[in-house]
Amino acid sequence: MLSVVRVHLPTDIPIVGCELSAYVLLRRGDSSLSPEDVTEASSTDGYFLQCRWFRLQSEQKVLVCSVHPLEPATLQCVQCLKAKLAQSKSLHCTQKCFTDSWRQHVIMHQEAADKRENGIEEDESPYTFNSNPAKTLRSLDGSLGGAATHAHSNGSVFSSPVRMASHNQSQEAGDVWCEVGQGKTYTPTTEDIGHILKIECVAIDGSTGRPAAPAHQRQTSRVIPAPSPTPRRLLTVNSMDGMGPVETDGRTASSGTFTVMSYNVLSDLYATSEQYSYCPPWALAWTYRRQNLLREIVAYRADILCLQEVQSDHYEDFYAPELEKHGYTGVYKKKTGEIYTGSVYVIDGCATFFRRDRFSLVKKYEVEFNKAAQSLSEALVPTNKKAALSRLLKDNVALIVVLEARDTGGFMDAQAASGKRGQLLCVANTHIHANQELKDVKLWQVHTLLKGLEKIAASADIPMLVAGDFNSVPGSAPHCLLSTGRVDPAHPDLQVDPLNILRPPSKLCHSLPLVSAYASFARMNGIGPSVEKQRRRMDLATNEPQFTNCTRDFLGTLDYIFYTADSLSVESLLELLDEDSLRKDTGLPSPEWSSDHIALLAEFRCKPRLRR
C-alpha cells in the first residue's frame, strides 16, 4: 500500500521560467515515511505515485503591475503604447504606483527614443524565455479612453496613465482546470501568466489504474512574468562620441577581440531574509534566482566568465551543466572550509568558464591562502604562530587558468600562423576576505596572489587578467597595490598590522603593468549623452565605478577587472547601472537583479607581442 501524507511547494508565487518542484512525503506499506519518488516502473506492492499539474482556465487573463508583480494591473502608460514599448513595462496597479515610479519610468521613454534614433528596435527583454509578447496582449480590448499630461517642476512631462477595462477577474464556479504537466516539477510558461496553478498528487493502484486514496492538492497564486531588467549595453570606448552600442545581443562582432565578465553571483548560503529583508522572499529563493542569473549571464555571451560565490553543490548540479549547454567549459575551486546546511556540507568558491569554441585549457593553478598562511606561520616564533593562524586562516581562494585561443576569434598571433602555439592568456579569478576590520589580511591575500602571478609571468610572457570580488574599495591598500604596483608607506591601512606581516612596506610591490578596465570610462574625452551618463556613474577621483555592490546598508565598488596594459587594450565595456534605478527596490538583490553585486564585462584586444 502507498499513500500521500503531505504535499509542499517551495513558493506560493509561480514565475515564468522558474521551475516549481513539489515535495511529496509518502507512507509506504511498511509504514515508513519517504520523500523518494515511486514511479510506475518502480512501484511498491503494485502502487505508484501520480502527480499532475493543472491551470485554472478563465475567459480572460490577469495582467500584473510592472512595479509590484503581485498586484493586478489597472492602469497603462500611454507614452509606452506610443513608443511601442513592451506591454509588461507599461502596466501599473494604482495611480500612486505610477506617480512614485515616474522618475525611473520616464528614463525608459528616453532610452526608447534614443534607440529609435539609432535604428534599434525595442525588445521585451534580453533575459526572457523566448516569450511571445502577443500572447500577453490578448486580454487588452483597446478601450483605454483618454489621457492627460502634466508638466513637472524639473521640466519633464508627466503623462497620466489610462485606466484599463476590467480584465482581472476572480475565480468563478464555472472555471475549469486544464492539465498542463505531469511529474513533481513544472516550469510555468507565458501561457500561464495570470492563471492559478494546482498540483494533484495521488497513489495509484497499478492493477486497476485508479486512485487508492483521495488526492492531495496544493494551489498557487497567479503566475507572474519574470521581471524584465533594463538591458545593459556593451559600449565601445573609442567611437566618434566616445562610445556607442555594439551588437544588441551583447556579443561583439569585432575581429581580434574577446570578452571577459566578472560577477559575484551571491551564494544561496548568504541569501537570507535576515540579511536582505527588503527583497521579496520569492525573489530571494534559489529556485528563482538561479534562472534569473542564468538568463543574465547567458545574455552577455562573454567568452570568459569569472564567477564568485558559486556554491559547491550548485556548481555541480546547475552552473556547470547549464552553461555547458551554451558552449562553456568550466573549472572550479571551492573555499577550504565548509558549512553544514542541515543535509550536506557546502561552501562557495570561484568558477571560471570559457567558450570552448574560442579557448582550450592549458593549465590550472589553485591558490589556497590558508596554505600560504601555514607557510608564513612556520617562520614565526611559537608564541605568535597561533595568533597568526587565527587571523590569517580565512578559507579564501583564487583560481588561475592559462587558456589557449582557438583559430576562430581572429586574435591568433603570428606564431600561430606559422604552426606554433596559439595566443595564450592567463586569467586569475579570486574572492578576497570580506571583513573590513582585517585590512592586513586583505592586503596580504592580494599581495600573495600577485606574487604567484609574477612567477607565471616570468615563465611565460602572456597577457594577464586579474578579476574578482576584492572586497576592497578604490583607494584602499589592496586597490593601490593592484593599480599602481605599490603601497605608500604612509597609507592608513598599514596601521592595522598586528602580526607585522606587512613590514617593511617596500616589499608590498609587484611588476605587473595592471590597469583597471573600467578606468577607460573615466579617461574618455568624447562628448554625447552616452559619455555623460557613464561619467556620472564613475568616481572621477579614483577612476572607478561609483559602485559594484548596492545593498540597503552599503554602496561602493568591490569588484574589478585588471589587465596587463602592455599586452591588452580595452575596446568596450558593459555600461554601469544607475543607483536611483536600483533604489526603487531599496537595493540589491531585487526581483530584477538576483545578486547584491552587478556584473562587470570588458572587451579586450591583444596588442602585438612585445616582451616586457
Side-chain angles (χ1 to χ4, degrees), residues 385-400:
K385 183 176 179 179
K386 184 176 181 180
L389 291 177
S390 176
R391 191 169 183 86
L392 296 177
L393 294 181
K394 301 304 178 187
D395 297 323
N396 298 90
V397 297
L399 179 61
I400 304 171

Side-chain angles (χ1 to χ4, degrees), residues 18-276:
C18 295
E19 181 183 86
L20 283 172
S21 182
Y23 174 86
V24 183
L25 186 64
L26 300 173
R27 188 186 304 277
R28 298 175 181 266
D30 58 1
S31 297
S32 63
L33 299 177
S34 173
E36 297 296 323
D37 200 5
V38 179
T39 64
E40 187 171 3
S42 60
S43 61
T44 298
D45 299 328
Y47 293 88
F48 62 91
L49 175 67
Q50 181 185 78
C51 297
R52 296 191 298 168
W53 291 86
F54 298 88
R55 177 175 64 221
L56 180 61
Q57 291 295 110
S58 301
E59 292 184 2
Q60 295 179 327
K61 291 185 176 182
V62 172
L63 299 177
V64 296
C65 175
S66 60
V67 180
H68 308 100
L70 300 185
E71 300 296 330
T74 61
L75 303 170
Q76 186 169 30
C77 175
V78 175
Q79 287 194 20
C80 286
L81 289 175
K82 294 178 179 178
K84 298 181 179 179
L85 291 174
Q87 183 200 28
S88 60
K89 299 178 181 180
S90 68
L91 304 176
H92 296 267
C93 54
T94 64
Q95 180 74 43
K96 184 178 186 301
C97 166
F98 183 75
T99 304
D100 290 346
S101 64
W102 176 253
R103 183 177 178 185
Q104 295 305 318
H105 193 82
V106 73
I107 295 175
M108 186 171 63
H109 296 162
Q110 296 166 351
E111 290 178 344
D114 292 342
K115 287 181 179 181
R116 286 197 300 273
E117 290 180 3
N118 293 323
I120 302 174
E121 292 295 326
E122 171 71 11
D123 192 11
E124 176 76 8
S125 168
Y127 309 144
T128 53
F129 278 82
N130 298 321
S131 59
N132 181 356
K135 294 180 180 179
T136 62
L137 289 170
R138 290 184 300 181
S139 62
L140 287 176
D141 61 7
S143 57
L144 300 176
T149 60
H150 309 279
H152 273 198
S153 58
N154 62 5
S156 65
V157 176
F158 176 86
S159 176
S160 295
V162 291
R163 186 163 298 279
M164 298 163 52
S166 178
H167 303 292
N168 299 334
Q169 300 175 341
S170 59
Q171 184 176 338
E172 297 178 356
D175 292 332
V176 296
W177 292 95
C178 173
E179 185 172 343
V180 293
Q182 296 185 354
K184 287 184 177 181
T185 62
Y186 177 69
T187 302
T189 69
T190 53
E191 289 288 337
D192 299 317
I193 293 175
H195 293 289
I196 294 172
L197 300 178
K198 176 178 71 174
I199 184 173
E200 182 181 273
C201 302
V202 63
I204 299 295
D205 184 341
S207 61
T208 64
R210 295 181 177 180
H216 280 241
Q217 301 178 349
R218 284 291 179 272
Q219 289 187 23
T220 70
S221 58
R222 298 184 186 275
V223 177
I224 64 174
S228 302
T230 302
R232 295 176 65 188
R233 299 178 299 166
L234 188 63
L235 304 172
T236 60
V237 297
N238 56 4
S239 61
M240 291 298 291
D241 69 341
M243 62 175 59
V246 191
E247 290 188 350
T248 54
D249 69 353
R251 180 72 178 276
T252 176
S254 177
S255 176
T257 65
F258 63 95
T259 50
V260 179
M261 184 183 77
S262 182
Y263 197 6
N264 181 323
V265 294
L266 181 58
S267 170
D268 188 47
L269 283 170
Y270 315 129
T272 64
S273 294
E274 291 77 19
Q275 182 70 23
Y276 305 105

Side-chain angles (χ1 to χ4, degrees), residues 264 275 309 391 394 396 431-446 469-479 491-498 502 548-549 551 553-560 596-597:
N264 181 323
Q275 182 70 23
E309 282 198 26
R391 191 169 183 86
K394 301 304 178 187
N396 298 90
H431 190 183
I432 299 301
H433 188 59
N435 190 331
Q436 298 302 318
E437 300 299 320
L438 301 180
K439 300 181 187 301
D440 55 324
V441 177
K442 294 175 185 289
L443 182 55
W444 172 77
Q445 289 183 348
V446 170
D469 177 0
F470 292 85
N471 273 309
S472 303
V473 297
S476 64
H479 180 263
H491 197 289
D493 284 3
L494 299 185
Q495 301 302 312
V496 181
D497 187 20
L502 306 179
T548 63
N549 180 258
T551 66
D553 305 315
F554 178 80
L555 182 79
T557 293
L558 304 174
D559 310 84
Y560 308 90
D596 54 344
H597 293 249

